[in-house]
Amino acid sequence: MKTAKLFLFFSLAVSGYAQTAASSKEVDAVYPAAHDLYIDLHQNPELSSHETQTAAKLAARLRSLGYEVTEGVGGTGVVAILKNGAGPTVMLRSELDALPVEEKTGLPFASKVHAQDDSGHDVPVAHACGHDLHMAALVATADILAHSKQSWHGTLMLIGQPAEETISGAKRMIDDGLFTRFPKPAVGVALHVGNDLPAGQVGITPGIYNTNADSLRITIYGKGGHGAAPHATIDPIVIAARTILALQTIVSREVKPGEMAVVTVGYVRAGTKNNIIPDQAELGLTVRTYKGDVRKQVLTAINRIAKAEALAGGAQQEPLIEHYESTDSVYNDPGLAERLRAPLEAALGKENVITTEPITPSEGYAFFIEQGVPSLYMSLGGADPQKYAESKNTGVMLPYNHSPYFAPDVDPALHSGIKAEVAVLRNLLNGASQ
Ligand SMILES: [Zn+2]
Ligand SMILES: [Zn+2]
């Protein structure tokens, strides 16, 4: 951490930003290949931890650009290094995975892919989170930087991270020696496309960028029997229903007004037939918070309510509460956010660099920050500007990431993604001090 801070201080002292923006000639030269890659990835999405073809495509492109590429890091992860003299190591990260979502965008290149998920079910697969756009931008940026080595110095580290959607890939890459087998970056950068901003814009959120995420599974144990003889049973469905409603009071009654907290029950599973009372019911929860103390408060309350409702319903066994997935919020280094605003404005136009509020989804990127890599995670506008303006007028939200209808406005979004990445990397890699 200390070295990173020193490095930031030093660079702040010497950097301007005039030379960091990619010229339109540079972007035009790489754009057609980036767009082709986007279409190819979009049409061939792969589920989390199964991104073998995706990783191979990324690795091949980066290798052909002269990067030293290692595959199979933490599963299907890709690490590509380009050394260019003395200077800091800076990391740019993209995710590799798609989602079990049936694409309904109606686009001519919409995904028609199906695959088996980890429990053996046939599921549709689509890049409904835009990771295909992140990969296309990363490869284009890699291309521009490989062809302009006079504009920067140091070590550029590009990573293709698997299994972001299951919050496991970042940790697996770290456990597989991401920061020991390869140089540990002084700074990390990533971006995410979404419909929160119009395409052409980039959002910066200094400090907390997104939420702590916790996934919980609650199994409520009752006593099954005939639907016509409820007196001989302990109905776990009724206990589940009461639990779901009682959980709603955590945010409305327990958390201090103004503090951010979300408790969502995303699924309820119980029963097979209308006249059978089942033995047990299962709830799947996602919990989102910004602050650590609020996170603890909400998790404690869930535990208390689930147990108390089971007791109230006469359950003879306590519910099983499994905390099976969690990630911390992504923290954007405020100094870094401040420093990178100028090169972003120079590359995209002052009016296109917006200060944005923290968002509620979460991100496996937090694991890299936890390892002591100060970072900037940017929001990349993906909405068709006209549709964005209409949605602001009507109040009807555009499809959010993970929706079957999510479709970024590719040309302006990909162009600005490339420009943002090149500007930021050149600045961090001391290009401006040349
Ligand atoms: Zn996602
Ligand atoms: Zn995503």
Side-chain angles (χ1 to χ4, degrees), residues 95 129-131 134 164-165 192 363 377 401-402:
E95 320 85 324
C129 203
H131 299 173
H134 306 167
E164 191 285 319
E165 297 290 359
H192 207 300
E363 237 302 333
Y377 196 107
N401 300 63
H402 293 200

Side-chain angles (χ1 to χ4, degrees), residues 187-259:
V187 181
V189 177
L191 51 72
H192 207 300
V193 68
N195 280 337
D196 290 339
L197 290 175
Q201 294 192 346
V202 160
I204 303 179
T205 314
I208 293 170
Y209 170 69
N210 64 6
T211 53
N212 302 301
D214 295 278
S215 302
L216 281 81
R217 185 163 42 230
I218 302 177
T219 309
I220 296 160
Y221 300 104
K223 187 175 147 200
H226 202 293
H231 59 289
T233 72
I234 294 163
D235 189 345
I237 293 183
V238 174
I239 298 174
R242 284 208 297 239
T243 305
I244 293 166
L245 291 181
L247 290 173
Q248 308 311 310
T249 63
I250 299 173
V251 174
S252 72
R253 303 290 82 187
E254 295 193 37
V255 172
K256 188 177 168 194
E259 295 290 3

Side-chain angles (χ1 to χ4, degrees), residues 9-16 430 432-433:
F9 177 74
F10 173 74
S11 302
L12 265 174
V14 296
S15 69
N430 288 340
S433 66

Side-chain angles (χ1 to χ4, degrees), residues 110-164:
S111 166
K112 295 185 179 63
V113 169
H114 276 242
Q116 278 210 342
D117 70 9
D118 288 336
S119 45
H121 296 116
D122 177 80
V123 289
V125 189
H127 267 297
C129 203
H131 299 173
D132 44 358
L133 197 137
H134 306 167
M135 287 184 267
L138 177 140
V139 171
T141 298
D143 198 341
I144 290 175
L145 290 178
H147 288 101
S148 59
K149 284 174 116 175
Q150 75 293 346
S151 72
W152 59 279
H153 56 85
T155 299
L156 179 56
M157 178 181 192
L158 307 175
I159 64 170
Q161 181 213 305
E164 191 285 319

